[in-house]
PDB file of all heavy atoms in Angstrom:
ATOM      1  N   GLU A  59      -4.142  -8.888   1.021  1.00 98.00           N
ATOM      2  CA  GLU A  59      -3.258  -9.722   0.206  1.00 98.00           C
ATOM      3  C   GLU A  59      -1.849  -9.791   0.794  1.00 98.00           C
ATOM      4  O   GLU A  59      -1.224 -10.861   0.810  1.00 98.00           O
ATOM      5  CB  GLU A  59      -3.206  -9.189  -1.230  1.00 98.00           C
ATOM      6  CG  GLU A  59      -4.541  -9.167  -1.950  1.00 98.00           C
ATOM      7  CD  GLU A  59      -5.145 -10.543  -2.159  1.00 98.00           C
ATOM      8  OE1 GLU A  59      -4.399 -11.547  -2.116  1.00 98.00           O
ATOM      9  OE2 GLU A  59      -6.376 -10.627  -2.370  1.00 98.00           O
ATOM     10  N   LEU A  60      -1.328  -8.675   1.271  1.00 98.00           N
ATOM     11  CA  LEU A  60       0.021  -8.662   1.840  1.00 98.00           C
ATOM     12  C   LEU A  60       0.125  -9.556   3.075  1.00 98.00           C
ATOM     13  O   LEU A  60       1.085 -10.319   3.231  1.00 98.00           O
ATOM     14  CB  LEU A  60       0.447  -7.239   2.203  1.00 98.00           C
ATOM     15  CG  LEU A  60       0.854  -6.313   1.059  1.00 98.00           C
ATOM     16  CD1 LEU A  60       1.203  -4.934   1.601  1.00 98.00           C
ATOM     17  CD2 LEU A  60       2.029  -6.883   0.276  1.00 98.00           C
ATOM     18  N   HIS A  61      -0.864  -9.460   3.950  1.00 98.00           N
ATOM     19  CA  HIS A  61      -0.816 -10.275   5.168  1.00 98.00           C
ATOM     20  C   HIS A  61      -0.917 -11.760   4.844  1.00 98.00           C
ATOM     21  O   HIS A  61      -0.227 -12.593   5.451  1.00 98.00           O
ATOM     22  CB  HIS A  61      -1.943  -9.857   6.119  1.00 98.00           C
ATOM     23  CG  HIS A  61      -1.739  -8.501   6.717  1.00 98.00           C
ATOM     24  ND1 HIS A  61      -2.774  -7.699   7.165  1.00 98.00           N
ATOM     25  CD2 HIS A  61      -0.608  -7.782   6.945  1.00 98.00           C
ATOM     26  CE1 HIS A  61      -2.289  -6.572   7.638  1.00 98.00           C
ATOM     27  NE2 HIS A  61      -0.985  -6.593   7.514  1.00 98.00           N
ATOM     28  N   ALA A  62      -1.742 -12.093   3.860  1.00 98.00           N
ATOM     29  CA  ALA A  62      -1.864 -13.497   3.448  1.00 98.00           C
ATOM     30  C   ALA A  62      -0.556 -13.974   2.820  1.00 98.00           C
ATOM     31  O   ALA A  62      -0.124 -15.120   3.043  1.00 98.00           O
ATOM     32  CB  ALA A  62      -3.025 -13.665   2.478  1.00 98.00           C
ATOM     33  N   ALA A  63       0.081 -13.121   2.028  1.00 98.00           N
ATOM     34  CA  ALA A  63       1.355 -13.481   1.393  1.00 98.00           C
ATOM     35  C   ALA A  63       2.441 -13.692   2.434  1.00 98.00           C
ATOM     36  O   ALA A  63       3.238 -14.635   2.336  1.00 98.00           O
ATOM     37  CB  ALA A  63       1.771 -12.396   0.399  1.00 98.00           C
ATOM     38  N   ILE A  64       2.484 -12.825   3.437  1.00 98.00           N
ATOM     39  CA  ILE A  64       3.472 -12.971   4.514  1.00 98.00           C
ATOM     40  C   ILE A  64       3.276 -14.299   5.232  1.00 98.00           C
ATOM     41  O   ILE A  64       4.239 -15.037   5.481  1.00 98.00           O
ATOM     42  CB  ILE A  64       3.373 -11.779   5.489  1.00 98.00           C
ATOM     43  CG1 ILE A  64       3.910 -10.512   4.825  1.00 98.00           C
ATOM     44  CG2 ILE A  64       4.133 -12.069   6.789  1.00 98.00           C
ATOM     45  CD1 ILE A  64       3.644  -9.236   5.609  1.00 98.00           C
ATOM     46  N   ASP A  65       2.035 -14.621   5.545  1.00 98.00           N
ATOM     47  CA  ASP A  65       1.743 -15.900   6.219  1.00 98.00           C
ATOM     48  C   ASP A  65       2.156 -17.078   5.342  1.00 98.00           C
ATOM     49  O   ASP A  65       2.710 -18.071   5.834  1.00 98.00           O
ATOM     50  CB  ASP A  65       0.247 -15.996   6.537  1.00 98.00           C
ATOM     51  CG  ASP A  65      -0.193 -15.039   7.627  1.00 98.00           C
ATOM     52  OD1 ASP A  65       0.683 -14.526   8.358  1.00 98.00           O
ATOM     53  OD2 ASP A  65      -1.408 -14.795   7.750  1.00 98.00           O
ATOM     54  N   SER A  66       1.896 -16.982   4.056  1.00 98.00           N
ATOM     55  CA  SER A  66       2.219 -18.066   3.127  1.00 98.00           C
ATOM     56  C   SER A  66       3.732 -18.283   3.039  1.00 98.00           C
ATOM     57  O   SER A  66       4.215 -19.418   3.074  1.00 98.00           O
ATOM     58  CB  SER A  66       1.649 -17.748   1.743  1.00 98.00           C
ATOM     59  OG  SER A  66       1.863 -18.814   0.843  1.00 98.00           O
ATOM     60  N   ILE A  67       4.479 -17.190   2.929  1.00 98.00           N
ATOM     61  CA  ILE A  67       5.943 -17.290   2.837  1.00 98.00           C
ATOM     62  C   ILE A  67       6.518 -17.842   4.136  1.00 98.00           C
ATOM     63  O   ILE A  67       7.426 -18.680   4.120  1.00 98.00           O
ATOM     64  CB  ILE A  67       6.557 -15.917   2.497  1.00 98.00           C
ATOM     65  CG1 ILE A  67       6.108 -15.475   1.097  1.00 98.00           C
ATOM     66  CG2 ILE A  67       8.085 -15.964   2.559  1.00 98.00           C
ATOM     67  CD1 ILE A  67       6.411 -14.023   0.769  1.00 98.00           C
ATOM     68  N   GLN A  68       5.978 -17.376   5.263  1.00 97.00           N
ATOM     69  CA  GLN A  68       6.438 -17.901   6.558  1.00 97.00           C
ATOM     70  C   GLN A  68       6.224 -19.408   6.671  1.00 97.00           C
ATOM     71  O   GLN A  68       7.011 -20.107   7.308  1.00 97.00           O
ATOM     72  CB  GLN A  68       5.708 -17.192   7.699  1.00 97.00           C
ATOM     73  CG  GLN A  68       6.265 -15.833   8.050  1.00 97.00           C
ATOM     74  CD  GLN A  68       5.571 -15.224   9.256  1.00 97.00           C
ATOM     75  OE1 GLN A  68       4.337 -15.175   9.323  1.00 97.00           O
ATOM     76  NE2 GLN A  68       6.346 -14.752  10.204  1.00 97.00           N
ATOM     77  N   ALA A  69       5.163 -19.890   6.039  1.00 97.00           N
ATOM     78  CA  ALA A  69       4.847 -21.322   6.082  1.00 97.00           C
ATOM     79  C   ALA A  69       5.637 -22.113   5.036  1.00 97.00           C
ATOM     80  O   ALA A  69       5.447 -23.326   4.908  1.00 97.00           O
ATOM     81  CB  ALA A  69       3.350 -21.524   5.872  1.00 97.00           C
ATOM     82  N   GLY A  70       6.517 -21.436   4.310  1.00 96.00           N
ATOM     83  CA  GLY A  70       7.319 -22.107   3.297  1.00 96.00           C
ATOM     84  C   GLY A  70       6.574 -22.376   2.002  1.00 96.00           C
ATOM     85  O   GLY A  70       7.024 -23.154   1.163  1.00 96.00           O
ATOM     86  N   LYS A  71       5.413 -21.720   1.820  1.00 97.00           N
ATOM     87  CA  LYS A  71       4.600 -21.915   0.619  1.00 97.00           C
ATOM     88  C   LYS A  71       4.705 -20.654  -0.244  1.00 97.00           C
ATOM     89  O   LYS A  71       3.887 -19.738  -0.143  1.00 97.00           O
ATOM     90  CB  LYS A  71       3.152 -22.188   1.004  1.00 97.00           C
ATOM     91  CG  LYS A  71       2.986 -23.444   1.869  1.00 97.00           C
ATOM     92  CD  LYS A  71       1.536 -23.609   2.328  1.00 97.00           C
ATOM     93  CE  LYS A  71       1.373 -24.838   3.210  1.00 97.00           C
ATOM     94  NZ  LYS A  71      -0.019 -24.988   3.709  1.00 97.00           N
ATOM     95  N   LEU A  72       5.724 -20.633  -1.097  1.00 97.00           N
ATOM     96  CA  LEU A  72       5.981 -19.433  -1.868  1.00 97.00           C
ATOM     97  C   LEU A  72       5.002 -19.253  -3.035  1.00 97.00           C
ATOM     98  O   LEU A  72       4.586 -18.133  -3.328  1.00 97.00           O
ATOM     99  CB  LEU A  72       7.415 -19.444  -2.406  1.00 97.00           C
ATOM    100  CG  LEU A  72       8.548 -19.495  -1.371  1.00 97.00           C
ATOM    101  CD1 LEU A  72       9.889 -19.295  -2.060  1.00 97.00           C
ATOM    102  CD2 LEU A  72       8.356 -18.463  -0.285  1.00 97.00           C
ATOM    103  N   GLU A  73       4.651 -20.342  -3.700  1.00 96.00           N
ATOM    104  CA  GLU A  73       3.832 -20.212  -4.910  1.00 96.00           C
ATOM    105  C   GLU A  73       2.480 -19.532  -4.671  1.00 96.00           C
ATOM    106  O   GLU A  73       2.089 -18.665  -5.455  1.00 96.00           O
ATOM    107  CB  GLU A  73       3.651 -21.575  -5.575  1.00 96.00           C
ATOM    108  CG  GLU A  73       4.948 -22.088  -6.212  1.00 96.00           C
ATOM    109  CD  GLU A  73       4.728 -23.302  -7.086  1.00 96.00           C
ATOM    110  OE1 GLU A  73       3.565 -23.710  -7.261  1.00 96.00           O
ATOM    111  OE2 GLU A  73       5.730 -23.852  -7.578  1.00 96.00           O
ATOM    112  N   PRO A  74       1.729 -19.874  -3.610  1.00 97.00           N
ATOM    113  CA  PRO A  74       0.461 -19.149  -3.386  1.00 97.00           C
ATOM    114  C   PRO A  74       0.675 -17.654  -3.176  1.00 97.00           C
ATOM    115  O   PRO A  74      -0.187 -16.841  -3.543  1.00 97.00           O
ATOM    116  CB  PRO A  74      -0.100 -19.811  -2.121  1.00 97.00           C
ATOM    117  CG  PRO A  74       0.522 -21.167  -2.085  1.00 97.00           C
ATOM    118  CD  PRO A  74       1.905 -20.968  -2.638  1.00 97.00           C
ATOM    119  N   ALA A  75       1.835 -17.292  -2.606  1.00 98.00           N
ATOM    120  CA  ALA A  75       2.123 -15.876  -2.357  1.00 98.00           C
ATOM    121  C   ALA A  75       2.308 -15.104  -3.661  1.00 98.00           C
ATOM    122  O   ALA A  75       2.030 -13.893  -3.715  1.00 98.00           O
ATOM    123  CB  ALA A  75       3.370 -15.732  -1.489  1.00 98.00           C
ATOM    124  N   PHE A  76       2.766 -15.785  -4.719  1.00 98.00           N
ATOM    125  CA  PHE A  76       3.001 -15.090  -5.982  1.00 98.00           C
ATOM    126  C   PHE A  76       1.716 -14.481  -6.525  1.00 98.00           C
ATOM    127  O   PHE A  76       1.707 -13.356  -7.023  1.00 98.00           O
ATOM    128  CB  PHE A  76       3.595 -16.042  -7.022  1.00 98.00           C
ATOM    129  CG  PHE A  76       4.934 -16.625  -6.631  1.00 98.00           C
ATOM    130  CD1 PHE A  76       5.384 -17.813  -7.181  1.00 98.00           C
ATOM    131  CD2 PHE A  76       5.751 -15.983  -5.708  1.00 98.00           C
ATOM    132  CE1 PHE A  76       6.603 -18.348  -6.833  1.00 98.00           C
ATOM    133  CE2 PHE A  76       6.985 -16.508  -5.338  1.00 98.00           C
ATOM    134  CZ  PHE A  76       7.408 -17.701  -5.906  1.00 98.00           C
ATOM    135  N   MET A  78      -0.933 -13.607  -4.808  1.00 98.00           N
ATOM    136  CA  MET A  78      -1.331 -12.508  -3.923  1.00 98.00           C
ATOM    137  C   MET A  78      -0.517 -11.246  -4.225  1.00 98.00           C
ATOM    138  O   MET A  78      -1.058 -10.135  -4.293  1.00 98.00           O
ATOM    139  CB  MET A  78      -1.148 -12.919  -2.471  1.00 98.00           C
ATOM    140  CG  MET A  78      -1.968 -14.122  -2.065  1.00 98.00           C
ATOM    141  SD  MET A  78      -1.346 -14.867  -0.537  1.00 98.00           S
ATOM    142  CE  MET A  78      -2.290 -16.401  -0.484  1.00 98.00           C
ATOM    143  N   LEU A  79       0.792 -11.418  -4.416  1.00 98.00           N
ATOM    144  CA  LEU A  79       1.658 -10.271  -4.664  1.00 98.00           C
ATOM    145  C   LEU A  79       1.411  -9.684  -6.053  1.00 98.00           C
ATOM    146  O   LEU A  79       1.492  -8.457  -6.238  1.00 98.00           O
ATOM    147  CB  LEU A  79       3.123 -10.672  -4.495  1.00 98.00           C
ATOM    148  CG  LEU A  79       3.501 -11.139  -3.080  1.00 98.00           C
ATOM    149  CD1 LEU A  79       4.963 -11.559  -3.026  1.00 98.00           C
ATOM    150  CD2 LEU A  79       3.232 -10.043  -2.047  1.00 98.00           C
ATOM    151  N   SER A 158       7.987  -7.933   8.401  1.00 98.00           N
ATOM    152  CA  SER A 158       7.506  -7.393   7.135  1.00 98.00           C
ATOM    153  C   SER A 158       7.606  -8.446   6.030  1.00 98.00           C
ATOM    154  O   SER A 158       8.165  -9.534   6.224  1.00 98.00           O
ATOM    155  CB  SER A 158       8.345  -6.178   6.734  1.00 98.00           C
ATOM    156  OG  SER A 158       9.656  -6.593   6.342  1.00 98.00           O
ATOM    157  N   LEU A 159       7.094  -8.095   4.884  1.00 98.00           N
ATOM    158  CA  LEU A 159       7.191  -8.957   3.711  1.00 98.00           C
ATOM    159  C   LEU A 159       8.650  -9.263   3.396  1.00 98.00           C
ATOM    160  O   LEU A 159       8.993 -10.397   3.025  1.00 98.00           O
ATOM    161  CB  LEU A 159       6.517  -8.265   2.518  1.00 98.00           C
ATOM    162  CG  LEU A 159       6.562  -8.983   1.166  1.00 98.00           C
ATOM    163  CD1 LEU A 159       5.845 -10.322   1.240  1.00 98.00           C
ATOM    164  CD2 LEU A 159       5.951  -8.097   0.079  1.00 98.00           C
ATOM    165  N   TYR A 160       9.513  -8.281   3.550  1.00 98.00           N
ATOM    166  CA  TYR A 160      10.934  -8.501   3.244  1.00 98.00           C
ATOM    167  C   TYR A 160      11.600  -9.349   4.318  1.00 98.00           C
ATOM    168  O   TYR A 160      12.461 -10.173   4.003  1.00 98.00           O
ATOM    169  CB  TYR A 160      11.647  -7.166   3.088  1.00 98.00           C
ATOM    170  CG  TYR A 160      12.933  -7.253   2.295  1.00 98.00           C
ATOM    171  CD1 TYR A 160      12.998  -7.995   1.114  1.00 98.00           C
ATOM    172  CD2 TYR A 160      14.081  -6.584   2.701  1.00 98.00           C
ATOM    173  CE1 TYR A 160      14.169  -8.069   0.369  1.00 98.00           C
ATOM    174  CE2 TYR A 160      15.253  -6.638   1.964  1.00 98.00           C
ATOM    175  CZ  TYR A 160      15.306  -7.390   0.810  1.00 98.00           C
ATOM    176  OH  TYR A 160      16.473  -7.454   0.068  1.00 98.00           O
ATOM    177  N   ASP A 161      11.213  -9.153   5.563  1.00 98.00           N
ATOM    178  CA  ASP A 161      11.767  -9.987   6.640  1.00 98.00           C
ATOM    179  C   ASP A 161      11.520 -11.467   6.363  1.00 98.00           C
ATOM    180  O   ASP A 161      12.429 -12.293   6.480  1.00 98.00           O
ATOM    181  CB  ASP A 161      11.147  -9.611   7.993  1.00 98.00           C
ATOM    182  CG  ASP A 161      11.643  -8.277   8.520  1.00 98.00           C
ATOM    183  OD1 ASP A 161      12.847  -8.003   8.410  1.00 98.00           O
ATOM    184  OD2 ASP A 161      10.815  -7.512   9.041  1.00 98.00           O
ATOM    185  N   VAL A 162      10.286 -11.808   5.997  1.00 98.00           N
ATOM    186  CA  VAL A 162       9.976 -13.224   5.762  1.00 98.00           C
ATOM    187  C   VAL A 162      10.617 -13.713   4.466  1.00 98.00           C
ATOM    188  O   VAL A 162      10.939 -14.909   4.344  1.00 98.00           O
ATOM    189  CB  VAL A 162       8.455 -13.497   5.768  1.00 98.00           C
ATOM    190  CG1 VAL A 162       7.855 -13.133   7.124  1.00 98.00           C
ATOM    191  CG2 VAL A 162       7.738 -12.779   4.638  1.00 98.00           C
ATOM    192  N   SER A 163      10.840 -12.819   3.517  1.00 98.00           N
ATOM    193  CA  SER A 163      11.527 -13.204   2.274  1.00 98.00           C
ATOM    194  C   SER A 163      12.991 -13.522   2.555  1.00 98.00           C
ATOM    195  O   SER A 163      13.551 -14.470   1.988  1.00 98.00           O
ATOM    196  CB  SER A 163      11.420 -12.076   1.244  1.00 98.00           C
ATOM    197  OG  SER A 163      10.072 -11.858   0.880  1.00 98.00           O
ATOM    198  N   ILE A 164      13.612 -12.751   3.441  1.00 98.00           N
ATOM    199  CA  ILE A 164      14.994 -13.024   3.827  1.00 98.00           C
ATOM    200  C   ILE A 164      15.074 -14.344   4.607  1.00 98.00           C
ATOM    201  O   ILE A 164      16.017 -15.128   4.429  1.00 98.00           O
ATOM    202  CB  ILE A 164      15.567 -11.851   4.653  1.00 98.00           C
ATOM    203  CG1 ILE A 164      15.710 -10.615   3.766  1.00 98.00           C
ATOM    204  CG2 ILE A 164      16.916 -12.219   5.273  1.00 98.00           C
ATOM    205  CD1 ILE A 164      16.058  -9.341   4.524  1.00 98.00           C
ATOM    206  N   GLN A 165      14.069 -14.601   5.424  1.00 98.00           N
ATOM    207  CA  GLN A 165      14.004 -15.890   6.122  1.00 98.00           C
ATOM    208  C   GLN A 165      13.913 -17.033   5.107  1.00 98.00           C
ATOM    209  O   GLN A 165      14.497 -18.103   5.309  1.00 98.00           O
ATOM    210  CB  GLN A 165      12.789 -15.915   7.052  1.00 98.00           C
ATOM    211  CG  GLN A 165      12.841 -14.948   8.233  1.00 98.00           C
ATOM    212  CD  GLN A 165      13.736 -15.426   9.368  1.00 98.00           C
ATOM    213  OE1 GLN A 165      14.176 -16.571   9.379  1.00 98.00           O
ATOM    214  NE2 GLN A 165      14.006 -14.536  10.322  1.00 98.00           N
ATOM    215  N   ALA A 166      13.200 -16.795   4.020  1.00 98.00           N
ATOM    216  CA  ALA A 166      13.083 -17.818   2.971  1.00 98.00           C
ATOM    217  C   ALA A 166      14.432 -18.074   2.306  1.00 98.00           C
ATOM    218  O   ALA A 166      14.749 -19.214   1.928  1.00 98.00           O
ATOM    219  CB  ALA A 166      12.042 -17.390   1.935  1.00 98.00           C
ATOM    220  N   LEU A 167      15.243 -17.034   2.142  1.00 98.00           N
ATOM    221  CA  LEU A 167      16.594 -17.211   1.607  1.00 98.00           C
ATOM    222  C   LEU A 167      17.407 -18.128   2.517  1.00 98.00           C
ATOM    223  O   LEU A 167      18.090 -19.049   2.048  1.00 98.00           O
ATOM    224  CB  LEU A 167      17.297 -15.854   1.489  1.00 98.00           C
ATOM    225  CG  LEU A 167      16.813 -14.876   0.424  1.00 98.00           C
ATOM    226  CD1 LEU A 167      17.507 -13.527   0.592  1.00 98.00           C
ATOM    227  CD2 LEU A 167      17.067 -15.410  -0.977  1.00 98.00           C
ATOM    228  N   ALA A 169      16.241 -20.291   4.690  1.00 98.00           N
ATOM    229  CA  ALA A 169      15.653 -21.638   4.681  1.00 98.00           C
ATOM    230  C   ALA A 169      16.107 -22.437   3.469  1.00 98.00           C
ATOM    231  O   ALA A 169      16.152 -23.679   3.511  1.00 98.00           O
ATOM    232  CB  ALA A 169      14.128 -21.537   4.707  1.00 98.00           C
ATOM    233  N   LEU A 210      12.586 -18.523  -5.400  1.00 98.00           N
ATOM    234  CA  LEU A 210      13.124 -17.314  -4.790  1.00 98.00           C
ATOM    235  C   LEU A 210      13.317 -16.206  -5.828  1.00 98.00           C
ATOM    236  O   LEU A 210      13.119 -15.022  -5.535  1.00 98.00           O
ATOM    237  CB  LEU A 210      14.458 -17.618  -4.101  1.00 98.00           C
ATOM    238  CG  LEU A 210      14.352 -18.495  -2.845  1.00 98.00           C
ATOM    239  CD1 LEU A 210      15.737 -18.935  -2.393  1.00 98.00           C
ATOM    240  CD2 LEU A 210      13.640 -17.743  -1.718  1.00 98.00           C
ATOM    241  N   LEU A 213       9.950 -14.791  -6.390  1.00 98.00           N
ATOM    242  CA  LEU A 213       9.608 -13.959  -5.233  1.00 98.00           C
ATOM    243  C   LEU A 213      10.291 -12.599  -5.347  1.00 98.00           C
ATOM    244  O   LEU A 213       9.667 -11.552  -5.126  1.00 98.00           O
ATOM    245  CB  LEU A 213      10.024 -14.654  -3.939  1.00 98.00           C
ATOM    246  CG  LEU A 213       9.845 -13.853  -2.647  1.00 98.00           C
ATOM    247  CD1 LEU A 213       8.384 -13.479  -2.425  1.00 98.00           C
ATOM    248  CD2 LEU A 213      10.381 -14.651  -1.451  1.00 98.00           C
ATOM    249  N   ALA A 214      11.566 -12.613  -5.698  1.00 98.00           N
ATOM    250  CA  ALA A 214      12.323 -11.369  -5.821  1.00 98.00           C
ATOM    251  C   ALA A 214      11.691 -10.439  -6.845  1.00 98.00           C
ATOM    252  O   ALA A 214      11.539  -9.228  -6.608  1.00 98.00           O
ATOM    253  CB  ALA A 214      13.764 -11.668  -6.214  1.00 98.00           C
ATOM    254  N   LYS A 216       8.563 -10.380  -7.818  1.00 98.00           N
ATOM    255  CA  LYS A 216       7.287  -9.875  -7.296  1.00 98.00           C
ATOM    256  C   LYS A 216       7.533  -8.698  -6.351  1.00 98.00           C
ATOM    257  O   LYS A 216       6.774  -7.711  -6.353  1.00 98.00           O
ATOM    258  CB  LYS A 216       6.529 -10.977  -6.551  1.00 98.00           C
ATOM    259  CG  LYS A 216       6.151 -12.181  -7.389  1.00 98.00           C
ATOM    260  CD  LYS A 216       5.263 -11.830  -8.563  1.00 98.00           C
ATOM    261  CE  LYS A 216       4.866 -13.081  -9.344  1.00 98.00           C
ATOM    262  NZ  LYS A 216       4.188 -12.752 -10.618  1.00 98.00           N
ATOM    263  N   LEU A 217       8.589  -8.801  -5.550  1.00 98.00           N
ATOM    264  CA  LEU A 217       8.933  -7.712  -4.632  1.00 98.00           C
ATOM    265  C   LEU A 217       9.325  -6.453  -5.402  1.00 98.00           C
ATOM    266  O   LEU A 217       8.911  -5.342  -5.055  1.00 98.00           O
ATOM    267  CB  LEU A 217      10.075  -8.135  -3.709  1.00 98.00           C
ATOM    268  CG  LEU A 217       9.807  -9.298  -2.750  1.00 98.00           C
ATOM    269  CD1 LEU A 217      11.050  -9.595  -1.918  1.00 98.00           C
ATOM    270  CD2 LEU A 217       8.619  -9.007  -1.832  1.00 98.00           C
TER     271      LEU A 217
END
Side-chain angles (χ1 to χ4, degrees):
E59 300 296 339
L60 284 178
H61 290 154
I64 289 170
D65 290 343
S66 184
I67 295 168
Q68 280 184 310
K71 300 175 181 178
L72 300 188
E73 290 191 4
F76 299 157
M78 300 162 190
L79 297 178
S158 71
L159 177 62
Y160 201 44
D161 287 318
V162 299
S163 296
I164 292 171
Q165 293 283 349
L167 290 172
L210 291 170
L213 175 60
K216 299 300 182 189
L217 297 179

